[in-house]
Every structure is written in structure tokens, then in C-alpha cells.
Amino acid sequence: MAAGGVLPRVPGDTFIGAGAGNQVLAVIPSLDLIAVRFGGDIIGGNLWGGIEQHLLNPLIDCVQ
């Protein structure tokens, strides 16, 4: 999924892939950032909302 315009706080060049078991790969070229998440269910049971709230937004807060 390309996140451009879909996730308001995430740079438009972000690409995200999700797999079984809520594994996530996020690539943000403009920030020279690659993030990989292995783990159980994301809080709230909403995969994409959970990825945004509990993975991407905190990463963006740390690097900007």
C-alpha cells in the first residue's frame, strides 16, 4: 500500500506491506527509514489503524 495522502502524518512516499500475524514492513525513502514489525495482534483489532497509531506515528515523532 502506498500511504501518500491516506495517512495524514506519514510522508507521501511511504510504502507499507503487511502479512500474516500482523507482520509489517514500512519503507519511507524521504526519511531514510525502514521499519519491520513482528508480533501479535495490534491493539484495537484494526490492522491499518493500529499500524498508523502504534507504529508509524511514533516513528514519525522520533525522527522529525
Side-chain angles (χ1 to χ4, degrees):
M1 170 181 127
V6 177
L7 305 173
R9 295 183 54 206
V10 178
D13 64 342
T14 301
F15 289 89
I16 306 165
N22 291 304
Q23 298 172 3
V24 178
L25 170 66
V27 179
I28 308 174
S30 62
L31 298 178
D32 292 327
L33 179 67
I34 297 172
V36 178
R37 178 197 185 271
F38 294 100
D41 289 340
I42 293 178
I43 297 170
N46 175 348
L47 176 62
W48 294 108
I51 290 170
E52 179 182 18
Q53 182 179 2
H54 300 289
L55 177 67
L56 296 175
N57 287 346
L59 280 173
I60 298 302
D61 290 342
C62 288
V63 298
Q64 289 187 333

